[in-house]
């Protein structure tokens, strides 16, 4: 090949880069719009046709600020808080899973697979059964449990080096031990307490209220505004390789610690309020990657997680209204086959996260 041909080929590849970037950006924006539309449509459908269908005129009156006996209570004290808590919890879980998956370069590296979710759950169950906590202290215990397990797994997998498979194996082992601990704690609980904990462990929005929505909004919002942008910039540098990141002036050790803290917090805080919502953190990242045909997009993963929970809540209220299934049962039942579909689609397009 002549020098002119080489120059022409190189110029062509460089010219294609902005085109590919623009196409990917277009797919991200389009996916964000579709996800936002799905949330709005499903939320409105739930407000009108939740577990009990309400007159459309009365719902519109309540949304317009009027007081309608019965309907106002259902909308303002039940359905809207469920939507708020579900959206916040789904977004937090989506971000948590996506951060772990991008950092470790493995779609299996989500909090519910590597044991972090079990750490938060075990700590929360201990706080509920042994200490009788059921307020913000429950959040603190869940966060502490998730961080403690993350630190243990981090140490077991070669001191936090980027060894995704070893971290996943260590997480599975720790997760199995924590499941046994949860079962033991349940055997020591009073019957009513054990029933409440079992319901919580399935992942549910039934106890949602404006206080729990605020309990999620404040810490998740603070982390998303003040820490997440900083972590995302560091994550892009870490993805170049730790040696390259260090050469660019990044303190790799502290960057990993901050990333793990943010990822664990975004997953543990929702778990403390709703219980573990199966597959939400697992699926949000791969779905965002499949939609954009590129790497996992963290903001889109947050929106995807919120969409998954809102849609699951609508299905639980309508398709299975007579059974009164918790949302976590719906996400667990439909999450596995949908994950297989995402993986098949990713393989067929030759892209993925």
């Amino acid at each position: 090949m002549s020098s002119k041909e080489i120059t022409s080929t190189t110029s062509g590849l460089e010219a294609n880069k902005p085109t590919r970037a623009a196409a990917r950006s277009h797919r991200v924006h389009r996916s964000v719009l579709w996800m936002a539309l799905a949330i709005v449509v499903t939320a409105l459908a739930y407000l009108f046709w939740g577990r009990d269908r309400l007159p459309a005129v009365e719902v519109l009156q309540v949304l317009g600020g009027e007081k309608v006996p019965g309907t106002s209570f259902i909308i303002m004290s039940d359905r809207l808080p469920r939507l708020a808590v579900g959206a916040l919890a789904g977004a937090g879980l989506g971000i948590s899973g996506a951060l772990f998956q991008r950092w470790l370069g493995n779609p299996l590296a989500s909090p519910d697979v590597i044991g972090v979710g079990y750490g938060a759950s075990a700590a929360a169950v201990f706080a509920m059964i042994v200490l009788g906590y059921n307020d913000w202290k429950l959040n603190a215990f869940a966060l502490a449990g998730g961080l403690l397990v993350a630190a243990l797994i981090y140490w077991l997998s070669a001191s936090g080096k980027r060894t995704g498979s070893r971290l996943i194996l260590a997480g599975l082992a720790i997760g199995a031990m924590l499941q046994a601990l949860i079962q033991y704690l349940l055997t020591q609980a009073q019957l009513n307490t054990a029933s409440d904990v079992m319901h919580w462990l399935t992942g549910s929005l039934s106890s949602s209220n404006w206080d729990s929505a605020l309990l999620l909004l404040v810490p998740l919002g603070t982390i998303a505004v003040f820490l997440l942008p900083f972590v995302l910039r560091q994550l892009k540098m870490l993805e170049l390789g730790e040696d390259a990141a260090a050469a660019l002036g990044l303190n790799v050790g502290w960057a990993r610690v901050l990333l793990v803290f943010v990822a664990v917090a975004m997953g543990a805080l929702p778990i403390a309020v709703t219980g573990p919502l199966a597959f939400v953190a697992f699926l949000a990242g791969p779905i965002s990657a499949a939609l954009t045909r590129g790497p996992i997009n963290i903001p889109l993963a947050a929106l995807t997680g919120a969409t998954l929970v809102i849609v699951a809540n609508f299905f639980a209220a309508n398709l299975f209204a007579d059974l009164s299934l918790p949302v976590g049962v719906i996400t667990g039942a439909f999450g596995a086959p949908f994950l297989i579909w995402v993986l098949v689609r990713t393989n067929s397009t030759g892209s993925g996260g």
Side-chain angles (χ1 to χ4, degrees):
M1 183 179 289
S2 65
S3 59
K4 289 183 178 180
E5 290 174 329
I6 294 175
T7 303
S8 176
T9 301
T10 304
S11 300
L13 291 173
E14 291 177 351
N16 284 334
K17 287 182 180 179
T19 303
R20 290 197 296 270
R24 183 173 298 166
S25 177
H26 173 72
R27 288 194 294 269
V28 170
H29 291 152
R30 182 180 60 191
S31 299
V32 167
L33 289 175
W34 278 111
M35 285 293 176
L37 180 62
I39 289 176
V40 171
V41 170
T42 308
L44 288 175
Y46 177 66
L47 291 176
F48 286 91
W49 303 293
R51 211 169 287 277
D52 297 307
R53 183 168 298 189
L54 299 174
V57 174
E58 293 185 2
V59 174
L60 292 174
Q61 288 174 337
V62 172
L63 294 178
E66 298 182 32
K67 292 286 185 180
V68 180
T71 302
S72 292
F73 177 81
I74 293 173
I75 296 296
M76 302 304 298
S77 299
D78 180 41
R79 295 187 183 179
L80 280 178
R82 283 191 189 222
L83 292 173
V85 171
L88 289 168
L93 290 169
I95 291 173
S96 178
L99 283 174
F100 276 119
Q101 288 163 339
R102 265 192 63 171
W103 174 44
L104 297 169
N106 193 321
L108 292 176
S110 68
D112 36 9
V113 173
I114 63 176
V116 174
Y118 286 118
S121 296
V125 169
F126 175 83
M128 285 188 286
I129 292 177
V130 178
L131 303 177
Y133 292 158
N134 198 23
D135 51 12
W136 64 268
K137 296 174 184 176
L138 195 64
N139 274 29
F141 266 81
L143 178 57
L147 288 172
L148 182 62
V149 171
L152 179 59
I153 297 170
Y154 194 77
W155 174 72
L156 290 174
S157 58
S159 301
K161 293 180 181 178
R162 192 168 169 167
T163 52
S165 59
R166 296 180 65 180
L167 188 144
I168 291 169
L169 289 173
L172 288 172
I174 297 298
M177 295 172 61
L178 291 171
Q179 281 183 294
L181 175 61
I182 291 172
Q183 295 301 318
Y184 169 75
L185 290 172
L186 285 171
T187 64
Q188 303 303 305
Q190 297 293 328
L191 185 60
N192 291 339
T193 304
S195 177
D196 292 340
V197 172
M198 285 298 297
H199 185 73
W200 177 86
L201 283 171
T202 61
S204 175
L205 301 179
S206 61
S207 61
S208 298
N209 53 47
W210 291 116
D211 289 337
S212 57
L214 187 63
L215 199 61
L216 275 179
L217 177 62
V218 172
L220 291 182
T222 301
I223 293 171
V225 171
F226 294 104
L227 293 181
L228 187 58
F230 186 60
V231 167
L232 291 181
R233 287 194 297 270
Q234 292 185 331
L235 178 60
K236 291 179 180 179
M237 299 174 69
L238 287 172
E239 288 176 328
L240 298 174
E242 295 187 355
D243 292 338
L248 292 172
L250 180 68
N251 187 323
V252 174
W254 281 110
R256 287 198 302 252
V257 169
L258 182 60
L259 189 152
V260 169
F261 171 78
V262 170
V264 170
M266 297 300 278
L269 293 171
I271 288 174
V273 174
T274 66
L277 298 173
F279 280 109
V280 176
F282 199 6
L283 285 175
I287 289 176
S288 74
L291 290 172
T292 61
R293 297 200 293 276
I296 291 173
N297 184 281
I298 305 297
L300 180 57
L303 202 55
T304 302
T307 304
L308 289 172
V309 177
I310 295 299
V311 171
N313 178 61
F314 177 76
F315 284 161
N318 290 273
L319 295 183
F320 306 100
D322 294 338
L323 299 178
S324 299
L325 291 178
V327 172
V329 174
I330 305 297
T331 59
F334 291 100
F338 195 60
L339 175 63
I340 293 172
W341 177 84
V342 170
L343 293 175
V344 170
R345 187 175 185 274
T346 299
N347 290 336
S348 66
T349 57
S351 61

